[in-house]
């Protein structure tokens, strides 16, 4: 049996990782400045993380959610405290797409409505409703296509108001990313957030904030939306939450009432996943990684802002979009093949996306900075 093709693959086979570095099967060392799509939040194989998982493996790795699991309660308490949402409840699942699916479902259960507003440039997942609110027609199959999903242009408050007026009483939720990642590191305006909040409050609609990529400290705050005066009804998380262990979650406002069977999952919140999630939160707090994300993001921005070919830098913490005066594909290729630095791209072909681990040092950042300067000077 062959693998079903999903992505074009780089001719690199990583077999070892530590901190901000990877090693391939030939012994070549690479700087990881992409973290597998912002998944590696506290560094590869962090010793505290490794110990937590190893210790848990010696006890129990999995049982179903039909029994008590005190690790889930511990994770929820820690997440509530660090995020400032300790009065919310937590549903644990396995991925960002699954988190968004459950958030959309929960919103619809709550107000018994069908329509969802999403934004141009958005990415919320590749499954069912999640892909229907993703702005990429190529990955939306006919079975996912529906007039329940209404697209609004990014940061266009007038259009958002018009959509609510034209669909009066029908809109269940508005889903928005704290920072658009795949869209090219795009920030919501304060005007958009304020308008969205007010429209949802006055029309019995739910605000779903997708913090799958921008959460867990990456922006310098625990959630990117916390620079604004808003408390979303539902917040979805994943990626950096498990530092490589598959996990996701939905933070749920007290306005929602739980009932048995409303939501469910087989693997979500299993013992190993919770051990991973708890370890990540402990490292973020103990090593002040949110402060480091802002400090190191500012350091990188200051060093590269005058480089040739860079037209714009969009940054919050260590979520960085570097817009170039040309497509970034060749730049990425040279960074990887000549200088052994992993970087990312976006739906905007000119935007180089940088998502390094939150505990990078200046020494590690300088490797990327020097490599980028050399490539852009060619």
């Amino acid at each position: 049996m062959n693998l079903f093709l999903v992505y074009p693959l780089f001719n690199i086979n990583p077999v070892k990782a530590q901190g901000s570095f990877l090693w391939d099967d030939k012994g070549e060392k690479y700087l990881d400045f992409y973290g597998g799509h912002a998944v590696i939040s506290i560094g590869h194989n962090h010793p505290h993380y490794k110990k937590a998982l190893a210790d848990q493996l010696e006890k129990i790795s999995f049982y179903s959610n039909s029994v008590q699991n005190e690790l889930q309660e511990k994770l929820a308490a820690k997440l509530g405290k660090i995020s400032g949402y300790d009065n919310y409840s937590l549903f644990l699942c396995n991925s960002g797409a699954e988190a968004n699916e459950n958030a959309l479902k929960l919103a619809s259960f709550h107000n018994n409505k069908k329509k969802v507003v999403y934004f141009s440039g958005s990415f919320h997942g590749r499954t069912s409703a999640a892909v229907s609110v993703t702005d990429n027609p190529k990955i939306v199959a006919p079975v996912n296509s529906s007039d329940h999903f209404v697209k609004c242009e990014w940061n266009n408050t007038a259009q958002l108001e018009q959509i609510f007026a034209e669909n009066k009483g029908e809109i269940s939720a508005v889903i928005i990313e704290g920072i658009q990642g795949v869209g090219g590191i795009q920030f919501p305006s304060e005007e958009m957030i304020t308008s969205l909040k007010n429209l949802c409050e006055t029309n019995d609609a739910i605000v779903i904030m997708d913090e799958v990529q921008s959460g867990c400290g990456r922006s310098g705050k625990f959630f990117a939306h916390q620079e604004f005066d808003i408390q979303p009804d539902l917040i979805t998380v994943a990626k950096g939450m498990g530092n490589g262990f598959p996990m996701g979650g939905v933070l749920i406002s007290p306005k929602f009432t739980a009932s048995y069977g409303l939501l469910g999952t087989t693997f979500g919140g299993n013992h190993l996943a919770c051990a991973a999630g708890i370890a990540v939160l402990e490292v973020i707090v103990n090593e002040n990684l949110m402060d480091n994300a802002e400090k190191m993001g500012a350091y990188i921005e200051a060093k590269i802002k005058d480089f040739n070919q860079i037209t714009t830098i969009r940054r919050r913490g260590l979520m960085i979009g570097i817009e170039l005066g040309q497509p970034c594909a060749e730049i990425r290729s040279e960074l990887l093949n000549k200088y052994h630095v992993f970087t990312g791209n976006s739906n905007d072909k000119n935007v180089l996306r940088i998502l390094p681990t939150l505990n990078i040092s200046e020494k590690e950042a300088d490797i990327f900075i020097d490599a980028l300067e050399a490539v852009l000077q060619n």
Side-chain angles (χ1 to χ4, degrees):
M1 182 183 291
N2 294 321
L3 294 174
F4 191 81
L5 297 179
V6 176
Y7 298 116
L9 301 179
F10 293 115
N11 189 27
I12 297 169
N13 179 25
V15 295
K16 176 185 171 184
Q18 185 66 49
S20 293
F21 296 96
L22 303 166
W23 287 262
D24 68 12
D25 54 357
K26 300 177 181 63
E28 296 289 342
K29 183 179 180 181
Y30 295 81
L31 176 68
D32 185 5
F33 245 55
Y34 190 55
H37 314 292
V39 167
I40 303 301
S41 51
I42 62 170
H44 294 279
N45 282 344
H46 190 287
H48 183 68
Y49 177 84
K50 280 186 3 181
K51 185 177 187 305
L53 284 170
D55 288 350
Q56 190 58 47
L57 271 172
E58 291 294 324
K59 300 170 185 175
I60 180 172
S61 59
F62 170 82
Y63 202 70
S64 83
N65 285 299
S66 62
V67 298
Q68 295 181 30
N69 180 350
E70 63 184 10
L71 292 174
Q72 292 181 355
E73 296 178 2
K74 183 177 179 181
L75 174 60
K78 283 184 177 291
L79 180 57
K81 183 176 180 181
I82 187 175
S83 69
Y85 283 98
D86 53 359
N87 64 326
Y88 279 44
S89 54
L90 177 65
F91 172 73
L92 289 165
C93 52
N94 307 285
S95 68
E98 191 177 338
N100 284 328
E101 291 286 351
N102 281 284
L104 290 163
K105 178 181 177 182
L106 194 57
S108 187
F109 271 132
H110 178 76
N111 54 28
N112 200 32
K113 299 178 185 179
K114 297 179 180 178
K115 291 194 174 182
V116 179
V117 181
Y118 68 102
F119 293 92
S120 60
S122 64
F123 186 92
H124 297 289
R126 298 177 184 273
T127 57
S128 194
V131 80
S132 299
V133 291
T134 290
D135 186 20
N136 184 351
K138 292 181 181 178
I139 63 172
V140 181
V143 72
N144 305 124
S145 183
S146 167
D147 61 4
H148 294 166
F149 305 99
V150 184
K151 184 168 73 172
C152 178
E153 290 302 310
W154 185 247
N155 284 334
N156 189 332
T157 56
Q159 186 181 14
L160 184 63
E161 290 168 1
Q162 182 181 354
I163 288 169
F164 268 87
E166 292 174 350
N167 297 273
K168 197 164 183 64
E170 295 184 276
I171 294 174
S172 170
V174 178
I175 186 167
I176 186 170
E177 290 159 272
I179 298 170
Q180 286 192 343
V182 175
I185 315 299
Q186 302 288 347
F187 309 123
S189 67
E190 186 168 3
E191 181 185 12
M192 170 56 75
I193 292 296
T194 301
S195 177
L196 182 157
K197 173 185 174 184
N198 292 337
L199 286 165
C200 286
E201 284 179 352
T202 56
N203 289 276
D204 187 29
I206 298 301
V207 178
I208 303 173
M209 187 65 67
D210 180 339
E211 293 276 8
V212 168
Q213 187 172 133
S214 55
C216 297
R218 178 151 297 278
S219 71
K221 300 182 183 297
F222 193 81
F223 291 129
H225 72 263
Q226 289 175 317
E227 70 171 294
F228 302 112
D229 179 24
I230 186 173
Q231 280 203 330
D233 302 302
L234 300 168
I235 306 165
T236 58
V237 290
K239 292 194 184 294
M241 186 181 188
N243 199 54
F245 199 102
M247 70 181 312
V250 186
L251 282 69
I252 303 169
S253 161
K255 72 166 59 174
F256 293 87
T257 302
S259 63
Y260 294 135
L262 189 70
L263 303 180
T265 173
T266 297
F267 298 107
N270 66 73
H271 296 75
L272 278 178
C274 287
I278 291 166
V280 167
L281 293 176
E282 288 172 345
V283 172
I284 288 174
V285 171
N286 294 340
E287 298 185 10
N288 298 312
L289 294 192
M290 285 185 280
D291 289 342
N292 193 65
E294 177 53 35
K295 173 187 170 186
M296 292 308 304
Y299 177 82
I300 293 167
E301 181 177 8
K303 290 281 188 177
I304 69 173
K305 62 183 176 64
D306 296 322
F307 283 3
N308 292 338
Q309 299 188 45
I310 293 179
T311 61
T312 307
I313 298 172
R314 293 187 290 275
R315 181 188 71 81
R316 294 287 189 276
L318 282 170
M319 194 165 181
I320 307 173
I322 302 169
E323 188 166 350
L324 305 173
Q326 66 178 68
C328 71
E330 289 186 11
I331 304 297
R332 287 185 68 216
S333 180
E334 190 170 353
L335 283 169
L336 183 60
N337 296 317
K338 185 174 181 180
Y339 295 95
H340 287 186
V341 178
F342 276 94
T343 57
N345 60 358
S346 73
N347 283 345
D348 184 332
K349 64 183 180 179
N350 286 18
V351 174
L352 191 68
R353 190 161 40 132
I354 306 301
L355 303 163
T357 175
L358 305 185
N359 53 4
I360 57 166
S361 65
E362 288 186 6
K363 182 179 179 181
E364 292 162 346
D366 285 342
I367 297 171
F368 163 73
I369 291 164
D370 291 344
L372 182 64
E373 183 175 28
V375 171
L376 295 181
Q377 284 179 339
N378 290 342

